[in-house]
Amino acid sequence: MSWLDYFRAARKDEPPPSASAAKERLQIVLAHERIGRTREDFLPKLQQELVAVVARYVAIDPGKVKLDLDRGGDMSTLAIEIELPGPPANKPQQRAAAG
Amino acid sequence: MAQVIVVTSGKGGVGKTTTSAAFATGLAQRGKKTVVIDFDVGLRNLDLIMGVERRVVFDIVNVIQGEARLNQALIRDKRVDTLAILPASQTRDKDALTREGVSTIIEELSADFDYILCDSPAGIEKGALLALYFADQAIVVTNPEVSSVRDSDRILGVLQSKSKRAEEKRDKVKEHLLVTRYDPNRVERGEMLKLEDVREILAIPLLGVVPENESVLKASNTGTPVIMDTESVAGQAYKDAVGRFLGEDLPHRFLEPEKKPGLFKRLFGGRAA
């Protein structure tokens, strides 16, 4: 029987069944979509306004803003990474522009 | 007053037309005066599944445009005398359907029929919205597969917000879940969403489960609604679903894998039924 055991052992290394992944992914995506049905999705606007606030104080390059959204089951994270320019080298007029 | 039932799903290819044909035939076999309307203007297929494609003279668009009377466009089924089919137009574009036109047709049919089944096109565009607008009840056809479940959830949202009942703030459209193409073997292997998972996610009452079955393709090949294949598991599953729809308390069948025949049977037992 030992050669049969070989096949049995090999089966245990199979990846976990995919149906549970399907269920989990559906539950998360639908939880978010159902909220969106009754309320407008505020995230794009939130992102815009946050970046606008930063831009009021620091001259930022709009091309150097990185947004990452991860919609999770219990918690979603929104990460906004804004690259700030280095200290202005002898540019006194910068101050006036920021004010 | 007739009950208007929409057969819908959001996603295409899940079995709306197969279900419309089977369900309409099943209701008619139970003596209910039933008419089934194809709303898929431009891509009509219900006529083919019902086996009446050679008898189509006028269609729903002709009636709406006043080019034919409703009675001229209705095709009476030759197998079940309480069943009629109103085909979609194959040549017009879907803008030819208007809410007023459909409303008039449904009102007129209400006088003569007990049930009006609306076979919805896929998507959530005009044709699909019109198919569900007048519905009192909805059969949501879902495959145990992520995109189908997601689209079903979406269409449930549409039913609750864009149907006539929703707009008039009357009792909401009564929803029924019909899971089709269910493969108990794949479920057992963990490759397919379990019935319980789909029910938990969509959270509407279950009308029936139709297993993946060869008989469905055979039925469409010959233009015979699969419910008429009383030997097949799909036919029996649809018959049960019709029974439940009419208030019978029937247990769900075909949810477990069939016992695999032994090696001997597989080699010498001929073809499995």
mmCIF file of all heavy atoms in Angstrom, chain B residues 190-220:
data_model
loop_
_atom_site.group_PDB
_atom_site.id
_atom_site.type_symbol
_atom_site.label_atom_id
_atom_site.label_comp_id
_atom_site.label_asym_id
_atom_site.label_seq_id
_atom_site.Cartn_x
_atom_site.Cartn_y
_atom_site.Cartn_z
ATOM 1 N N GLY B 190 -14.864 21.798 -3.394
ATOM 2 C CA GLY B 190 -14.492 23.147 -2.969
ATOM 3 C C GLY B 190 -14.151 24.056 -4.119
ATOM 4 O O GLY B 190 -13.520 25.099 -3.951
ATOM 5 N N GLU B 191 -14.589 23.688 -5.324
ATOM 6 C CA GLU B 191 -14.269 24.508 -6.500
ATOM 7 C C GLU B 191 -15.388 25.465 -6.864
ATOM 8 O O GLU B 191 -15.221 26.313 -7.730
ATOM 9 C CB GLU B 191 -14.031 23.598 -7.716
ATOM 10 C CG GLU B 191 -12.843 22.695 -7.594
ATOM 11 C CD GLU B 191 -12.785 21.692 -8.726
ATOM 12 O OE1 GLU B 191 -13.615 21.753 -9.653
ATOM 13 O OE2 GLU B 191 -11.902 20.824 -8.669
ATOM 14 N N MET B 192 -16.537 25.266 -6.258
ATOM 15 C CA MET B 192 -17.696 26.087 -6.627
ATOM 16 C C MET B 192 -18.382 26.570 -5.358
ATOM 17 O O MET B 192 -18.435 25.846 -4.362
ATOM 18 C CB MET B 192 -18.664 25.235 -7.473
ATOM 19 C CG MET B 192 -19.904 25.955 -7.954
ATOM 20 S SD MET B 192 -20.970 24.900 -8.959
ATOM 21 C CE MET B 192 -20.345 25.255 -10.589
ATOM 22 N N LEU B 193 -18.905 27.800 -5.420
ATOM 23 C CA LEU B 193 -19.651 28.351 -4.285
ATOM 24 C C LEU B 193 -20.780 27.403 -3.895
ATOM 25 O O LEU B 193 -21.513 26.918 -4.745
ATOM 26 C CB LEU B 193 -20.247 29.698 -4.659
ATOM 27 C CG LEU B 193 -19.328 30.915 -4.663
ATOM 28 C CD1 LEU B 193 -20.006 32.075 -5.371
ATOM 29 C CD2 LEU B 193 -18.947 31.310 -3.246
ATOM 30 N N LYS B 194 -20.922 27.173 -2.602
ATOM 31 C CA LYS B 194 -22.001 26.331 -2.093
ATOM 32 C C LYS B 194 -23.320 27.082 -2.195
ATOM 33 O O LYS B 194 -23.355 28.305 -2.117
ATOM 34 C CB LYS B 194 -21.768 26.016 -0.606
ATOM 35 C CG LYS B 194 -20.689 25.018 -0.306
ATOM 36 C CD LYS B 194 -20.847 24.514 1.122
ATOM 37 C CE LYS B 194 -20.511 25.539 2.180
ATOM 38 N NZ LYS B 194 -19.112 25.550 2.601
ATOM 39 N N LEU B 195 -24.397 26.324 -2.311
ATOM 40 C CA LEU B 195 -25.729 26.923 -2.318
ATOM 41 C C LEU B 195 -25.905 27.830 -1.096
ATOM 42 O O LEU B 195 -26.417 28.940 -1.201
ATOM 43 C CB LEU B 195 -26.792 25.815 -2.317
ATOM 44 C CG LEU B 195 -28.227 26.295 -2.194
ATOM 45 C CD1 LEU B 195 -28.610 27.143 -3.388
ATOM 46 C CD2 LEU B 195 -29.177 25.119 -2.047
ATOM 47 N N GLU B 196 -25.475 27.336 0.060
ATOM 48 C CA GLU B 196 -25.642 28.102 1.296
ATOM 49 C C GLU B 196 -24.914 29.440 1.223
ATOM 50 O O GLU B 196 -25.398 30.452 1.735
ATOM 51 C CB GLU B 196 -25.136 27.290 2.500
ATOM 52 C CG GLU B 196 -26.017 26.098 2.835
ATOM 53 C CD GLU B 196 -27.506 26.444 2.764
ATOM 54 O OE1 GLU B 196 -27.914 27.445 3.372
ATOM 55 O OE2 GLU B 196 -28.252 25.713 2.079
ATOM 56 N N ASP B 197 -23.738 29.451 0.573
ATOM 57 C CA ASP B 197 -22.990 30.701 0.434
ATOM 58 C C ASP B 197 -23.765 31.706 -0.409
ATOM 59 O O ASP B 197 -23.870 32.880 -0.080
ATOM 60 C CB ASP B 197 -21.621 30.438 -0.230
ATOM 61 C CG ASP B 197 -20.723 29.574 0.645
ATOM 62 O OD1 ASP B 197 -21.010 29.467 1.851
ATOM 63 O OD2 ASP B 197 -19.753 29.008 0.121
ATOM 64 N N VAL B 198 -24.290 31.234 -1.544
ATOM 65 C CA VAL B 198 -25.036 32.127 -2.439
ATOM 66 C C VAL B 198 -26.273 32.668 -1.712
ATOM 67 O O VAL B 198 -26.597 33.854 -1.790
ATOM 68 C CB VAL B 198 -25.439 31.388 -3.736
ATOM 69 C CG1 VAL B 198 -26.235 32.308 -4.649
ATOM 70 C CG2 VAL B 198 -24.210 30.858 -4.458
ATOM 71 N N ARG B 199 -26.943 31.784 -0.982
ATOM 72 C CA ARG B 199 -28.139 32.220 -0.244
ATOM 73 C C ARG B 199 -27.787 33.250 0.816
ATOM 74 O O ARG B 199 -28.497 34.235 1.000
ATOM 75 C CB ARG B 199 -28.791 31.021 0.467
ATOM 76 C CG ARG B 199 -29.468 30.066 -0.471
ATOM 77 C CD ARG B 199 -30.138 28.944 0.286
ATOM 78 N NE ARG B 199 -31.369 29.400 0.927
ATOM 79 C CZ ARG B 199 -32.241 28.595 1.506
ATOM 80 N NH1 ARG B 199 -32.011 27.289 1.527
ATOM 81 N NH2 ARG B 199 -33.329 29.061 2.049
ATOM 82 N N GLU B 200 -26.686 32.993 1.508
ATOM 83 C CA GLU B 200 -26.273 33.906 2.577
ATOM 84 C C GLU B 200 -25.938 35.287 2.009
ATOM 85 O O GLU B 200 -26.317 36.315 2.566
ATOM 86 C CB GLU B 200 -25.053 33.307 3.293
ATOM 87 C CG GLU B 200 -24.590 34.102 4.491
ATOM 88 C CD GLU B 200 -23.263 33.578 5.029
ATOM 89 O OE1 GLU B 200 -23.005 32.360 4.921
ATOM 90 O OE2 GLU B 200 -22.477 34.401 5.528
ATOM 91 N N ILE B 201 -25.255 35.296 0.871
ATOM 92 C CA ILE B 201 -24.811 36.567 0.298
ATOM 93 C C ILE B 201 -25.991 37.356 -0.273
ATOM 94 O O ILE B 201 -26.124 38.549 -0.034
ATOM 95 C CB ILE B 201 -23.737 36.324 -0.782
ATOM 96 C CG1 ILE B 201 -22.443 35.822 -0.125
ATOM 97 C CG2 ILE B 201 -23.456 37.594 -1.577
ATOM 98 C CD1 ILE B 201 -21.426 35.248 -1.083
ATOM 99 N N LEU B 202 -26.866 36.696 -1.019
ATOM 100 C CA LEU B 202 -27.954 37.432 -1.674
ATOM 101 C C LEU B 202 -29.165 37.620 -0.752
ATOM 102 O O LEU B 202 -29.933 38.570 -0.914
ATOM 103 C CB LEU B 202 -28.366 36.743 -2.972
ATOM 104 C CG LEU B 202 -27.296 36.793 -4.073
ATOM 105 C CD1 LEU B 202 -27.756 36.017 -5.293
ATOM 106 C CD2 LEU B 202 -26.966 38.230 -4.457
ATOM 107 N N ALA B 203 -29.316 36.710 0.205
ATOM 108 C CA ALA B 203 -30.338 36.859 1.253
ATOM 109 C C ALA B 203 -31.752 37.101 0.726
ATOM 110 O O ALA B 203 -32.462 37.997 1.183
ATOM 111 C CB ALA B 203 -29.935 37.965 2.229
ATOM 112 N N ILE B 204 -32.152 36.340 -0.298
ATOM 113 C CA ILE B 204 -33.552 36.362 -0.725
ATOM 114 C C ILE B 204 -34.050 34.916 -0.745
ATOM 115 O O ILE B 204 -33.251 33.980 -0.818
ATOM 116 C CB ILE B 204 -33.750 37.036 -2.113
ATOM 117 C CG1 ILE B 204 -32.981 36.298 -3.219
ATOM 118 C CG2 ILE B 204 -33.352 38.502 -2.061
ATOM 119 C CD1 ILE B 204 -33.311 36.793 -4.620
ATOM 120 N N PRO B 205 -35.387 34.717 -0.679
ATOM 121 C CA PRO B 205 -35.914 33.348 -0.593
ATOM 122 C C PRO B 205 -35.543 32.493 -1.812
ATOM 123 O O PRO B 205 -35.550 32.977 -2.944
ATOM 124 C CB PRO B 205 -37.427 33.564 -0.527
ATOM 125 C CG PRO B 205 -37.610 34.956 -0.049
ATOM 126 C CD PRO B 205 -36.442 35.733 -0.564
ATOM 127 N N LEU B 206 -35.192 31.250 -1.541
ATOM 128 C CA LEU B 206 -34.761 30.335 -2.604
ATOM 129 C C LEU B 206 -35.959 29.652 -3.247
ATOM 130 O O LEU B 206 -36.768 29.019 -2.583
ATOM 131 C CB LEU B 206 -33.828 29.277 -2.014
ATOM 132 C CG LEU B 206 -33.291 28.229 -2.982
ATOM 133 C CD1 LEU B 206 -32.342 28.856 -3.984
ATOM 134 C CD2 LEU B 206 -32.593 27.102 -2.220
ATOM 135 N N LEU B 207 -36.043 29.794 -4.569
ATOM 136 C CA LEU B 207 -37.138 29.155 -5.301
ATOM 137 C C LEU B 207 -36.725 27.776 -5.814
ATOM 138 O O LEU B 207 -37.538 26.858 -5.872
ATOM 139 C CB LEU B 207 -37.549 30.043 -6.482
ATOM 140 C CG LEU B 207 -38.729 29.584 -7.327
ATOM 141 C CD1 LEU B 207 -39.997 29.541 -6.497
ATOM 142 C CD2 LEU B 207 -38.919 30.505 -8.523
ATOM 143 N N GLY B 208 -35.475 27.646 -6.190
ATOM 144 C CA GLY B 208 -35.040 26.353 -6.701
ATOM 145 C C GLY B 208 -33.579 26.333 -7.083
ATOM 146 O O GLY B 208 -32.928 27.373 -7.156
ATOM 147 N N VAL B 209 -33.076 25.125 -7.289
ATOM 148 C CA VAL B 209 -31.707 24.922 -7.739
ATOM 149 C C VAL B 209 -31.755 23.988 -8.943
ATOM 150 O O VAL B 209 -32.290 22.885 -8.853
ATOM 151 C CB VAL B 209 -30.837 24.273 -6.636
ATOM 152 C CG1 VAL B 209 -29.398 24.103 -7.124
ATOM 153 C CG2 VAL B 209 -30.875 25.094 -5.360
ATOM 154 N N VAL B 210 -31.246 24.461 -10.066
ATOM 155 C CA VAL B 210 -31.221 23.636 -11.265
ATOM 156 C C VAL B 210 -29.785 23.180 -11.491
ATOM 157 O O VAL B 210 -28.899 24.009 -11.661
ATOM 158 C CB VAL B 210 -31.729 24.423 -12.493
ATOM 159 C CG1 VAL B 210 -31.724 23.542 -13.732
ATOM 160 C CG2 VAL B 210 -33.121 24.976 -12.228
ATOM 161 N N PRO B 211 -29.552 21.880 -11.449
ATOM 162 C CA PRO B 211 -28.176 21.414 -11.615
ATOM 163 C C PRO B 211 -27.685 21.571 -13.052
ATOM 164 O O PRO B 211 -28.490 21.589 -13.991
ATOM 165 C CB PRO B 211 -28.252 19.940 -11.223
ATOM 166 C CG PRO B 211 -29.660 19.548 -11.423
ATOM 167 C CD PRO B 211 -30.498 20.777 -11.240
ATOM 168 N N GLU B 212 -26.387 21.711 -13.194
ATOM 169 C CA GLU B 212 -25.755 21.665 -14.517
ATOM 170 C C GLU B 212 -26.158 20.321 -15.132
ATOM 171 O O GLU B 212 -26.020 19.284 -14.510
ATOM 172 C CB GLU B 212 -24.235 21.731 -14.327
ATOM 173 C CG GLU B 212 -23.423 21.572 -15.581
ATOM 174 C CD GLU B 212 -23.347 22.862 -16.375
ATOM 175 O OE1 GLU B 212 -22.833 23.849 -15.852
ATOM 176 O OE2 GLU B 212 -23.809 22.868 -17.524
ATOM 177 N N ASN B 213 -26.698 20.356 -16.336
ATOM 178 C CA ASN B 213 -27.266 19.140 -16.874
ATOM 179 C C ASN B 213 -27.256 19.163 -18.401
ATOM 180 O O ASN B 213 -27.599 20.166 -19.020
ATOM 181 C CB ASN B 213 -28.710 19.001 -16.353
ATOM 182 C CG ASN B 213 -29.319 17.640 -16.625
ATOM 183 O OD1 ASN B 213 -30.495 17.525 -16.926
ATOM 184 N ND2 ASN B 213 -28.526 16.583 -16.550
ATOM 185 N N GLU B 214 -26.875 18.038 -18.987
ATOM 186 C CA GLU B 214 -26.810 17.931 -20.448
ATOM 187 C C GLU B 214 -28.164 18.179 -21.111
ATOM 188 O O GLU B 214 -28.230 18.606 -22.256
ATOM 189 C CB GLU B 214 -26.342 16.521 -20.840
ATOM 190 C CG GLU B 214 -24.893 16.247 -20.534
ATOM 191 C CD GLU B 214 -24.532 14.789 -20.815
ATOM 192 O OE1 GLU B 214 -25.390 14.054 -21.339
ATOM 193 O OE2 GLU B 214 -23.397 14.408 -20.498
ATOM 194 N N SER B 215 -29.217 17.887 -20.384
ATOM 195 C CA SER B 215 -30.552 17.972 -20.982
ATOM 196 C C SER B 215 -30.903 19.393 -21.426
ATOM 197 O O SER B 215 -31.722 19.576 -22.319
ATOM 198 C CB SER B 215 -31.600 17.486 -19.986
ATOM 199 O OG SER B 215 -31.602 18.315 -18.848
ATOM 200 N N VAL B 216 -30.261 20.413 -20.790
ATOM 201 C CA VAL B 216 -30.593 21.797 -21.135
ATOM 202 C C VAL B 216 -30.174 22.101 -22.577
ATOM 203 O O VAL B 216 -30.930 22.692 -23.349
ATOM 204 C CB VAL B 216 -29.932 22.780 -20.143
ATOM 205 C CG1 VAL B 216 -30.168 24.228 -20.568
ATOM 206 C CG2 VAL B 216 -30.473 22.553 -18.737
ATOM 207 N N LEU B 217 -28.975 21.664 -22.954
ATOM 208 C CA LEU B 217 -28.515 21.883 -24.330
ATOM 209 C C LEU B 217 -29.340 21.063 -25.319
ATOM 210 O O LEU B 217 -29.718 21.551 -26.387
ATOM 211 C CB LEU B 217 -27.026 21.520 -24.445
ATOM 212 C CG LEU B 217 -26.393 21.679 -25.827
ATOM 213 C CD1 LEU B 217 -26.507 23.109 -26.326
ATOM 214 C CD2 LEU B 217 -24.933 21.248 -25.804
ATOM 215 N N LYS B 218 -29.642 19.836 -24.935
ATOM 216 C CA LYS B 218 -30.482 18.994 -25.805
ATOM 217 C C LYS B 218 -31.819 19.654 -26.055
ATOM 218 O O LYS B 218 -32.329 19.673 -27.177
ATOM 219 C CB LYS B 218 -30.724 17.633 -25.143
ATOM 220 C CG LYS B 218 -29.623 16.625 -25.371
ATOM 221 C CD LYS B 218 -30.123 15.236 -24.942
ATOM 222 C CE LYS B 218 -29.022 14.458 -24.270
ATOM 223 N NZ LYS B 218 -29.536 13.335 -23.467
ATOM 224 N N ALA B 219 -32.398 20.207 -24.988
ATOM 225 C CA ALA B 219 -33.715 20.850 -25.108
ATOM 226 C C ALA B 219 -33.648 22.055 -26.032
ATOM 227 O O ALA B 219 -34.536 22.255 -26.868
ATOM 228 C CB ALA B 219 -34.210 21.266 -23.720
ATOM 229 N N SER B 220 -32.573 22.843 -25.907
ATOM 230 C CA SER B 220 -32.491 24.022 -26.768
ATOM 231 C C SER B 220 -32.215 23.612 -28.210
ATOM 232 O O SER B 220 -32.680 24.252 -29.148
ATOM 233 C CB SER B 220 -31.448 25.009 -26.247
ATOM 234 O OG SER B 220 -30.150 24.626 -26.588
#
